[in-house]
Each structure stands twice: as C-alpha cells, then as structure tokens.
Amino acid sequence: LLDISWFTESMHSGHPVQILDRHRLQEEEQSDSEAAVFTMPSYACQRRTTMDNKNPILTDALSLLAENAELSNQDGRGVAFRRAAAVLKALPEAVTSMKQLKGLPCLGGHSQRVIKDILENGASDEVQSLRQSERYQALKVLTGIFGVGAKTADRWIRDGIHTLQQLRESGHTLTRTQQAGLEHYEDLNMPVSKAEADDISKIVEVVVDSVLPGSQVALTGGFRRGKQTGHDVDFLITHPEEGKEEGLMTKVVSLLDSKGFLLYQQMTRNSYVESEDAPALASFHMDRFERCFSIFKLPKDREESLKQLGSLYPKPAGGVCDGRAGEVLHRETSQSQGSHSEVQEEVKEPKSWRAIRVDLVVSPFSQFAFAQLGWTGSKLFERELRRWAGQEKRMSLNSHALYDSKQGKYLQATSEEEIFTHLGLEFIPPSERNA
Ligand code: DCT
Ligand code: MG
C-alpha cells in the first residue's frame, strides 16, 4: 500500500490532443498509449517524497497558487493546492499526459486545469498573470519582512503601501521584530546555504555545551530533510537528564548575545503542561516549547567566529566539557580557509557578516522524539501526520505528545520510528518527508 505503484495502460481516451505539429502528435499518441497511469496513497505521510522532484514546473505553479491563497487568508484553498503539488512531487517520473493522473488523489478541478494548461501550452496563463500581478508582488515584498504576516501585509496594501520604500515613508509604527526584519531585509531574503547552517551549528554546539555539558544540539527543519538551502536554520536542544534543560534557553541566548552572535532575539517560555493541554482543545496543536526566534550575526570569516567564541574555544583544560564541538569547528576552518577568502574577493562584499534567521527550541528529553518529528517538516508532511492521526486512528499528535482517544491515554516514544509504529505507518526517514 505504501509504495507508489504504477502500471501501463493501453486504453485510448479519444480526447483531442491540442498539438498542431504532426510529428509531435504522432509521438504524443505513441507515448500516451505507453504512458504509465500513476497511483499513490492519499496522505503525504504514507508516501516517500525525496528532494528529487521530477515535476518542478507543475509543482512550482501549484505552489505559487497555494502561496497566494495563504497570503490572501484562504487557508483551505492553500492546503488544497499544497496537497496537489505534494502528489506530483512524489511521482517517480515527469507527467506527460493528463490520462496518467486519473488514479491520483488530491487533484481537484482547479489544479487539473492548471496542469493541463502547462502540459499543453508550456505555461498556465492564470499562474503567469498572478505572478505578475501588483497585489501578489506587494504581498511577497511585504511578507518577506520578518514579523509581517498576511493580515498585516493586506492592511498595508489597502493603505496603498506596495514597496519597502513606501512602508518606510508611511510613518506606520513597526513592532521590534518588524524593525529588525526591515533592517536586515536583503540578507534575510537570501537563501541560507547548508555550509552556513553548519557554521551556525558549530557555534551553537560550542555555546550550548559550555552552558550545560552533555546537552545535545540537533539540526532540524529543511536541512535535516537534506535541503541544500533554507529560509532559516532550525535547532532542537535537549539534555539526557530530564529537567536539566530547564532554564537552558535563557543562558544560551545570553551567552550567544554577549559573544556578539545575535542581532535580534525573542524568547518564549515553555508552557506545556500535559494535564492542562487536553487533546480536545484547539490549542493542543500549538507548540509550547521554550523557543527563541533570532537573527544571527554570522561572520563571513570562520576565523572571526573562533575569535568571538574566545575562551569557549578551545575549552579551558580541565573543563567539564571535552571541547569536541570546538575541535570540529577548528578542523573545518583550516580546511576551508583558502576557498572562503577567494569567494570574498570575488563578491567584494564590504560587510564582514551576514544576518540569518535562526530558531532555537529546547525540549525535555522525554518529548524529544515528538519534537524532532514535529520540527523536521515539511509543513505539509506535519499537517498530514496530524490529519492521519485524527481521522484514521482517533489519535492527537503534536510536537510534545501522542494521545490515543480509543485507549484514553498518552503513548510514549523515545524515537521517531516508535511514533510511526504507534500511528500504524511505515517509517519515512527525514530525507523522504519533502512533501
Ligand atoms: N512547522 C510546522 N507547521 C508550521 C510551521 C513549521 O509543522 N506552520 C514545522 C515543520 C518544519 C519546521 O517546523 C521548521 O519550519 P520552517 O523553518 O518554516 O520550515 P523548513 O521546512 O525548515 O523550511 P525552510 O527550509 O524554508 O526553512
Ligand atoms: Mg527552516
């Protein structure tokens, strides 16, 4: 059931093929008769979706429609387009004909029209004109500011604000987050590379280890799924002795700050209490970990990061920590020095650092597997896991726990594999959760 199966179909549908070139028409008929009809299970968490997307033109178009719906506060339509895009991302081959799609779930009439347009004409007029529309472009620019959501952007657009310049001149009062977002707009809208994420990992590891030796720092989010770029870097922090993680975030953030690594930070406390967070409540799906939304100031020169870490690196002799994270940073620094300075010369970037969005989350050890599963994503994969749990298993899943309504109890887990087993799903590794 879980594998994407496909079989060849020899039936002709008799629909006219709108391609004028006779040679291509013949080819098309031939390939149509041989083209595989795809099938797949309907929940994204039952499918394996790698980064190797065979249908990027179709999925980009559907993702743009999804994004536009989300930015217009039409979440239902947004999810429908996301589900359609996710189905195409999981296909083993490029789609060549509409007939191949008739066994697939989640492809509504609107999505099918868009796919048909692209297969027949190479592009969708609807998507093209949306991409060029003033409103969509303004929504993109304004929600590109860290701290600005769809509702705020919509209000500003109704006030005639479409650009950053207009926003700056408007005299609108901005929150502290939005001020930071506007100040670092260019950097924050430049994709974060895996190399940058690794540099930040090492800094966070050294700092966390010096605050609480034995803590574990895990890179999560898109980078854990094998993405080569992301819009931010997500970390999950825990300590094997339950309770030791309490108060860790404040210390880590203040040490990062004192070492000059933070341009902005906003912490939220852990407010999860199992007995108060009934699965029946809508708030059950909220994340309640100790969390920090930050803007990291990453030196472009790794030597500079080491200097900033100062006495934390290498750890003083006789310290509790073994300095492992520091050694890793040092080794990679000496290896990559040459190429790094070359890149700097080429780009002639006067700024010696770059602003990067970093999310830190601290989880108690007993909830770590749930936190890992909940923070690895993709967003649609997470949504589908929760939908599967509720609709198919009468269970409630969030980033802290799994509750079984039939048995009336919480199900414990120490690994992601165990959670998939509780849910009656085949284990899908992070690299195949790119729905
Ligand atoms: N998440 C979720 N639902 C949300 C937001 C986030 O389930 N509404 C989870 C899944 C991914 C993880 O949190 C991190 O979120 P992002 O950083 O936004 O996603 P990402 O997959 O890491 O994407 P990017 O590579 O762009 O950072
Ligand atoms: Mg991310």
mmCIF file of all heavy atoms in Angstrom, residues 192 220-225 227 229-234 287 291 357 359 373-383 386 399 434, ligand 1:
data_model
loop_
_atom_site.group_PDB
_atom_site.id
_atom_site.type_symbol
_atom_site.label_atom_id
_atom_site.label_comp_id
_atom_site.label_asym_id
_atom_site.label_seq_id
_atom_site.Cartn_x
_atom_site.Cartn_y
_atom_site.Cartn_z
ATOM 1 N N VAL A 192 19.656 30.631 2.831
ATOM 2 C CA VAL A 192 20.740 30.193 3.711
ATOM 3 C C VAL A 192 21.310 28.902 3.120
ATOM 4 O O VAL A 192 20.555 27.993 2.769
ATOM 5 C CB VAL A 192 20.202 29.878 5.127
ATOM 6 C CG1 VAL A 192 21.340 29.479 6.059
ATOM 7 C CG2 VAL A 192 19.419 31.058 5.677
ATOM 8 N N THR A 220 17.475 20.673 12.663
ATOM 9 C CA THR A 220 16.201 20.096 12.245
ATOM 10 C C THR A 220 15.638 20.913 11.064
ATOM 11 O O THR A 220 16.406 21.535 10.357
ATOM 12 C CB THR A 220 15.250 19.998 13.481
ATOM 13 O OG1 THR A 220 14.018 19.455 13.067
ATOM 14 C CG2 THR A 220 14.999 21.314 14.151
ATOM 15 N N GLY A 221 14.326 20.903 10.838
ATOM 16 C CA GLY A 221 13.756 21.645 9.711
ATOM 17 C C GLY A 221 14.253 21.112 8.369
ATOM 18 O O GLY A 221 14.643 19.956 8.256
ATOM 19 N N GLY A 222 14.226 21.984 7.367
ATOM 20 C CA GLY A 222 14.558 21.587 5.994
ATOM 21 C C GLY A 222 15.944 20.983 5.838
ATOM 22 O O GLY A 222 16.132 20.042 5.058
ATOM 23 N N PHE A 223 16.918 21.483 6.588
ATOM 24 C CA PHE A 223 18.284 20.943 6.437
ATOM 25 C C PHE A 223 18.354 19.490 6.881
ATOM 26 O O PHE A 223 19.119 18.703 6.338
ATOM 27 C CB PHE A 223 19.303 21.816 7.181
ATOM 28 C CG PHE A 223 19.533 23.137 6.502
ATOM 29 C CD1 PHE A 223 19.140 24.332 7.092
ATOM 30 C CD2 PHE A 223 20.126 23.183 5.238
ATOM 31 C CE1 PHE A 223 19.337 25.547 6.452
ATOM 32 C CE2 PHE A 223 20.339 24.399 4.583
ATOM 33 C CZ PHE A 223 19.947 25.583 5.193
ATOM 34 N N ARG A 224 17.543 19.104 7.876
ATOM 35 C CA ARG A 224 17.543 17.689 8.285
ATOM 36 C C ARG A 224 16.941 16.813 7.184
ATOM 37 O O ARG A 224 17.238 15.620 7.093
ATOM 38 C CB ARG A 224 16.756 17.517 9.597
ATOM 39 C CG ARG A 224 16.771 16.083 10.090
ATOM 40 C CD ARG A 224 16.323 15.916 11.526
ATOM 41 N NE ARG A 224 16.457 14.514 11.922
ATOM 42 C CZ ARG A 224 15.438 13.727 12.263
ATOM 43 N NH1 ARG A 224 14.200 14.201 12.312
ATOM 44 N NH2 ARG A 224 15.638 12.472 12.578
ATOM 45 N N ARG A 225 16.086 17.419 6.352
ATOM 46 C CA ARG A 225 15.491 16.657 5.251
ATOM 47 C C ARG A 225 16.402 16.602 4.028
ATOM 48 O O ARG A 225 16.021 16.078 2.986
ATOM 49 C CB ARG A 225 14.137 17.269 4.853
ATOM 50 C CG ARG A 225 13.106 17.357 5.971
ATOM 51 C CD ARG A 225 11.701 17.581 5.423
ATOM 52 N NE ARG A 225 11.601 18.701 4.502
ATOM 53 C CZ ARG A 225 11.433 19.971 4.875
ATOM 54 N NH1 ARG A 225 11.343 20.286 6.160
ATOM 55 N NH2 ARG A 225 11.345 20.932 3.972
ATOM 56 N N LYS A 227 17.700 19.361 2.433
ATOM 57 C CA LYS A 227 17.656 20.539 1.560
ATOM 58 C C LYS A 227 19.032 21.205 1.548
ATOM 59 O O LYS A 227 19.737 21.202 2.554
ATOM 60 C CB LYS A 227 16.612 21.549 2.071
ATOM 61 C CG LYS A 227 15.189 21.186 1.694
ATOM 62 C CD LYS A 227 14.210 22.221 2.226
ATOM 63 C CE LYS A 227 14.344 23.554 1.513
ATOM 64 N NZ LYS A 227 13.356 24.549 2.015
ATOM 65 N N THR A 229 19.371 24.474 0.699
ATOM 66 C CA THR A 229 19.159 25.863 1.144
ATOM 67 C C THR A 229 17.889 25.934 1.973
ATOM 68 O O THR A 229 17.038 25.043 1.897
ATOM 69 C CB THR A 229 18.988 26.839 -0.047
ATOM 70 O OG1 THR A 229 17.854 26.427 -0.810
ATOM 71 C CG2 THR A 229 20.218 26.883 -0.925
ATOM 72 N N GLY A 230 17.771 27.011 2.750
ATOM 73 C CA GLY A 230 16.562 27.186 3.546
ATOM 74 C C GLY A 230 16.313 28.658 3.805
ATOM 75 O O GLY A 230 17.151 29.502 3.463
ATOM 76 N N HIS A 231 15.173 28.968 4.420
ATOM 77 C CA HIS A 231 14.924 30.380 4.735
ATOM 78 C C HIS A 231 15.432 30.700 6.142
ATOM 79 O O HIS A 231 15.585 31.852 6.514
ATOM 80 C CB HIS A 231 13.445 30.734 4.533
ATOM 81 C CG HIS A 231 12.614 30.638 5.784
ATOM 82 N ND1 HIS A 231 12.205 29.440 6.323
ATOM 83 C CD2 HIS A 231 12.145 31.598 6.605
ATOM 84 C CE1 HIS A 231 11.517 29.671 7.416
ATOM 85 N NE2 HIS A 231 11.460 30.969 7.626
ATOM 86 N N ASP A 232 15.701 29.634 6.913
ATOM 87 C CA ASP A 232 16.240 29.825 8.256
ATOM 88 C C ASP A 232 17.004 28.570 8.659
ATOM 89 O O ASP A 232 17.117 27.628 7.862
ATOM 90 C CB ASP A 232 15.107 30.109 9.259
ATOM 91 C CG ASP A 232 14.189 28.916 9.474
ATOM 92 O OD1 ASP A 232 14.383 27.862 8.837
ATOM 93 O OD2 ASP A 232 13.260 29.029 10.294
ATOM 94 N N VAL A 233 17.523 28.548 9.893
ATOM 95 C CA VAL A 233 18.164 27.347 10.429
ATOM 96 C C VAL A 233 17.437 27.006 11.729
ATOM 97 O O VAL A 233 17.270 27.871 12.592
ATOM 98 C CB VAL A 233 19.671 27.575 10.701
ATOM 99 C CG1 VAL A 233 20.363 26.242 10.971
ATOM 100 C CG2 VAL A 233 20.341 28.284 9.528
ATOM 101 N N ASP A 234 16.979 25.758 11.822
ATOM 102 C CA ASP A 234 16.191 25.329 12.982
ATOM 103 C C ASP A 234 16.998 24.359 13.835
ATOM 104 O O ASP A 234 17.561 23.395 13.320
ATOM 105 C CB ASP A 234 14.913 24.615 12.509
ATOM 106 C CG ASP A 234 14.117 25.449 11.525
ATOM 107 O OD1 ASP A 234 13.507 26.435 11.947
ATOM 108 O OD2 ASP A 234 14.118 25.120 10.312
ATOM 109 N N ASP A 287 2.681 24.825 19.546
ATOM 110 C CA ASP A 287 3.962 24.460 20.107
ATOM 111 C C ASP A 287 4.201 25.262 21.361
ATOM 112 O O ASP A 287 4.036 26.466 21.376
ATOM 113 C CB ASP A 287 5.073 24.762 19.101
ATOM 114 C CG ASP A 287 5.550 23.490 18.466
ATOM 115 O OD1 ASP A 287 5.853 22.571 19.231
ATOM 116 O OD2 ASP A 287 5.600 23.440 17.231
ATOM 117 N N ARG A 291 11.334 28.593 23.358
ATOM 118 C CA ARG A 291 11.710 28.812 21.963
ATOM 119 C C ARG A 291 12.335 30.180 21.811
ATOM 120 O O ARG A 291 11.985 31.110 22.523
ATOM 121 C CB ARG A 291 10.437 28.707 21.122
ATOM 122 C CG ARG A 291 10.673 28.861 19.647
ATOM 123 C CD ARG A 291 9.406 28.540 18.880
ATOM 124 N NE ARG A 291 9.679 28.795 17.467
ATOM 125 C CZ ARG A 291 8.809 28.636 16.488
ATOM 126 N NH1 ARG A 291 7.598 28.237 16.753
ATOM 127 N NH2 ARG A 291 9.147 28.886 15.251
ATOM 128 N N ARG A 357 18.260 34.057 9.855
ATOM 129 C CA ARG A 357 17.203 33.684 10.813
ATOM 130 C C ARG A 357 17.526 32.330 11.427
ATOM 131 O O ARG A 357 17.768 31.359 10.704
ATOM 132 C CB ARG A 357 15.856 33.618 10.088
ATOM 133 C CG ARG A 357 15.169 34.946 9.962
ATOM 134 C CD ARG A 357 14.299 35.263 11.170
ATOM 135 N NE ARG A 357 13.251 34.266 11.353
ATOM 136 C CZ ARG A 357 13.209 33.405 12.357
ATOM 137 N NH1 ARG A 357 14.123 33.402 13.304
ATOM 138 N NH2 ARG A 357 12.222 32.519 12.427
ATOM 139 N N ASP A 359 16.111 29.616 14.500
ATOM 140 C CA ASP A 359 15.120 29.229 15.516
ATOM 141 C C ASP A 359 15.740 28.209 16.451
ATOM 142 O O ASP A 359 16.249 27.186 15.998
ATOM 143 C CB ASP A 359 13.888 28.589 14.863
ATOM 144 C CG ASP A 359 12.862 29.624 14.422
ATOM 145 O OD1 ASP A 359 13.116 30.830 14.605
ATOM 146 O OD2 ASP A 359 11.812 29.208 13.903
ATOM 147 N N LEU A 373 10.137 14.899 15.390
ATOM 148 C CA LEU A 373 9.178 14.597 14.327
ATOM 149 C C LEU A 373 8.408 15.859 13.933
ATOM 150 O O LEU A 373 8.183 16.127 12.765
ATOM 151 C CB LEU A 373 8.213 13.493 14.784
ATOM 152 C CG LEU A 373 7.177 13.051 13.749
ATOM 153 C CD1 LEU A 373 7.842 12.545 12.475
ATOM 154 C CD2 LEU A 373 6.268 11.961 14.321
ATOM 155 N N GLY A 374 8.034 16.660 14.916
ATOM 156 C CA GLY A 374 7.236 17.858 14.639
ATOM 157 C C GLY A 374 8.009 18.989 13.996
ATOM 158 O O GLY A 374 7.421 19.834 13.315
ATOM 159 N N TRP A 375 9.324 19.035 14.224
ATOM 160 C CA TRP A 375 10.117 20.148 13.705
ATOM 161 C C TRP A 375 10.886 19.831 12.431
ATOM 162 O O TRP A 375 11.498 20.707 11.832
ATOM 163 C CB TRP A 375 11.091 20.650 14.785
ATOM 164 C CG TRP A 375 10.365 21.525 15.739
ATOM 165 C CD1 TRP A 375 9.668 21.131 16.842
ATOM 166 C CD2 TRP A 375 10.201 22.938 15.637
ATOM 167 N NE1 TRP A 375 9.077 22.208 17.437
ATOM 168 C CE2 TRP A 375 9.394 23.319 16.714
ATOM 169 C CE3 TRP A 375 10.662 23.908 14.736
ATOM 170 C CZ2 TRP A 375 9.028 24.649 16.921
ATOM 171 C CZ3 TRP A 375 10.307 25.219 14.940
ATOM 172 C CH2 TRP A 375 9.494 25.576 16.029
ATOM 173 N N THR A 376 10.868 18.568 12.013
ATOM 174 C CA THR A 376 11.612 18.219 10.805
ATOM 175 C C THR A 376 10.836 18.628 9.550
ATOM 176 O O THR A 376 11.445 18.982 8.537
ATOM 177 C CB THR A 376 11.930 16.701 10.811
ATOM 178 O OG1 THR A 376 12.755 16.440 11.937
ATOM 179 C CG2 THR A 376 12.655 16.273 9.557
ATOM 180 N N GLY A 377 9.509 18.634 9.627
ATOM 181 C CA GLY A 377 8.712 19.036 8.477
ATOM 182 C C GLY A 377 8.649 17.930 7.430
ATOM 183 O O GLY A 377 8.975 16.790 7.723
ATOM 184 N N SER A 378 8.287 18.240 6.155
ATOM 185 C CA SER A 378 7.869 19.577 5.735
ATOM 186 C C SER A 378 6.563 19.998 6.405
ATOM 187 O O SER A 378 5.935 19.172 7.070
ATOM 188 C CB SER A 378 7.677 19.576 4.210
ATOM 189 O OG SER A 378 6.554 18.750 3.879
ATOM 190 N N LYS A 379 6.165 21.223 6.210
ATOM 191 C CA LYS A 379 4.930 21.697 6.832
ATOM 192 C C LYS A 379 3.755 20.820 6.419
ATOM 193 O O LYS A 379 2.924 20.458 7.247
ATOM 194 C CB LYS A 379 4.658 23.150 6.426
ATOM 195 C CG LYS A 379 5.574 24.146 7.075
ATOM 196 C CD LYS A 379 5.141 25.574 6.761
ATOM 197 C CE LYS A 379 6.232 26.552 7.140
ATOM 198 N NZ LYS A 379 7.261 26.698 6.103
ATOM 199 N N LEU A 380 3.691 20.465 5.129
ATOM 200 C CA LEU A 380 2.565 19.645 4.681
ATOM 201 C C LEU A 380 2.661 18.230 5.270
ATOM 202 O O LEU A 380 1.648 17.652 5.678
ATOM 203 C CB LEU A 380 2.486 19.567 3.150
ATOM 204 C CG LEU A 380 1.227 18.809 2.707
ATOM 205 C CD1 LEU A 380 -0.023 19.669 2.857
ATOM 206 C CD2 LEU A 380 1.333 18.283 1.298
ATOM 207 N N PHE A 381 3.876 17.678 5.334
ATOM 208 C CA PHE A 381 4.046 16.343 5.919
ATOM 209 C C PHE A 381 3.520 16.333 7.349
ATOM 210 O O PHE A 381 2.817 15.410 7.766
ATOM 211 C CB PHE A 381 5.529 15.935 5.865
ATOM 212 C CG PHE A 381 5.761 14.479 6.178
ATOM 213 C CD1 PHE A 381 5.786 13.526 5.178
ATOM 214 C CD2 PHE A 381 5.946 14.063 7.492
ATOM 215 C CE1 PHE A 381 5.982 12.184 5.473
ATOM 216 C CE2 PHE A 381 6.139 12.719 7.795
ATOM 217 C CZ PHE A 381 6.163 11.777 6.783
ATOM 218 N N GLU A 382 3.825 17.396 8.110
ATOM 219 C CA GLU A 382 3.374 17.511 9.506
ATOM 220 C C GLU A 382 1.851 17.579 9.572
ATOM 221 O O GLU A 382 1.208 16.923 10.391
ATOM 222 C CB GLU A 382 3.940 18.775 10.160
ATOM 223 C CG GLU A 382 5.448 18.843 10.195
ATOM 224 C CD GLU A 382 6.062 17.767 11.056
ATOM 225 O OE1 GLU A 382 5.365 17.225 11.919
ATOM 226 O OE2 GLU A 382 7.251 17.453 10.841
ATOM 227 N N ARG A 383 1.282 18.394 8.715
ATOM 228 C CA ARG A 383 -0.160 18.567 8.676
ATOM 229 C C ARG A 383 -0.851 17.237 8.370
ATOM 230 O O ARG A 383 -1.859 16.874 8.970
ATOM 231 C CB ARG A 383 -0.485 19.599 7.583
ATOM 232 C CG ARG A 383 -1.925 19.965 7.464
ATOM 233 C CD ARG A 383 -2.099 20.946 6.315
ATOM 234 N NE ARG A 383 -2.153 22.323 6.771
ATOM 235 C CZ ARG A 383 -3.259 22.900 7.227
ATOM 236 N NH1 ARG A 383 -4.380 22.234 7.296
ATOM 237 N NH2 ARG A 383 -3.244 24.151 7.603
ATOM 238 N N ARG A 386 -0.778 14.776 11.304
ATOM 239 C CA ARG A 386 -1.808 15.099 12.303
ATOM 240 C C ARG A 386 -3.194 14.697 11.788
ATOM 241 O O ARG A 386 -4.040 14.205 12.529
ATOM 242 C CB ARG A 386 -1.751 16.585 12.664
ATOM 243 C CG ARG A 386 -0.455 16.983 13.386
ATOM 244 C CD ARG A 386 -0.527 18.367 13.974
ATOM 245 N NE ARG A 386 -0.616 19.417 12.969
ATOM 246 C CZ ARG A 386 0.426 20.134 12.533
ATOM 247 N NH1 ARG A 386 1.637 19.913 13.022
ATOM 248 N NH2 ARG A 386 0.265 21.077 11.631
ATOM 249 N N SER A 399 3.860 18.310 18.830
ATOM 250 C CA SER A 399 5.317 18.197 18.976
ATOM 251 C C SER A 399 5.737 17.791 20.384
ATOM 252 O O SER A 399 6.928 17.725 20.692
ATOM 253 C CB SER A 399 5.994 19.515 18.617
ATOM 254 O OG SER A 399 5.733 19.827 17.293
ATOM 255 N N ASN A 434 9.864 15.253 2.138
ATOM 256 C CA ASN A 434 9.852 16.546 1.442
ATOM 257 C C ASN A 434 8.560 16.798 0.662
ATOM 258 O O ASN A 434 8.591 17.239 -0.482
ATOM 259 C CB ASN A 434 11.090 16.659 0.540
ATOM 260 C CG ASN A 434 12.342 16.881 1.360
ATOM 261 O OD1 ASN A 434 12.497 17.947 1.959
ATOM 262 N ND2 ASN A 434 13.220 15.896 1.418
HETATM 263 N N1 DCT B 1 6.320 23.592 11.083
HETATM 264 C C1 DCT B 1 5.031 23.096 11.016
HETATM 265 N N2 DCT B 1 3.992 23.931 10.794
HETATM 266 C C2 DCT B 1 4.209 25.245 10.622
HETATM 267 C C3 DCT B 1 5.497 25.771 10.675
HETATM 268 C C4 DCT B 1 6.550 24.916 10.909
HETATM 269 O O1 DCT B 1 4.823 21.914 11.167
HETATM 270 N N3 DCT B 1 3.159 26.039 10.397
HETATM 271 C C5 DCT B 1 7.439 22.682 11.321
HETATM 272 C C6 DCT B 1 7.798 21.917 10.085
HETATM 273 C C7 DCT B 1 9.077 22.491 9.617
HETATM 274 C C8 DCT B 1 9.679 23.113 10.858
HETATM 275 O O2 DCT B 1 8.592 23.415 11.699
HETATM 276 C C9 DCT B 1 10.507 24.315 10.570
HETATM 277 O O3 DCT B 1 9.736 25.313 9.900
HETATM 278 P P1 DCT B 1 10.343 26.138 8.701
HETATM 279 O O4 DCT B 1 11.709 26.586 9.028
HETATM 280 O O5 DCT B 1 9.351 27.184 8.356
HETATM 281 O O6 DCT B 1 10.328 25.067 7.539
HETATM 282 P P2 DCT B 1 11.522 24.379 6.762
HETATM 283 O O7 DCT B 1 10.965 23.115 6.236
HETATM 284 O O8 DCT B 1 12.727 24.304 7.619
HETATM 285 O O9 DCT B 1 11.724 25.353 5.545
HETATM 286 P P3 DCT B 1 12.983 26.290 5.211
HETATM 287 O O10 DCT B 1 13.984 25.365 4.603
HETATM 288 O O11 DCT B 1 12.500 27.305 4.252
HETATM 289 O O12 DCT B 1 13.455 26.885 6.493
#
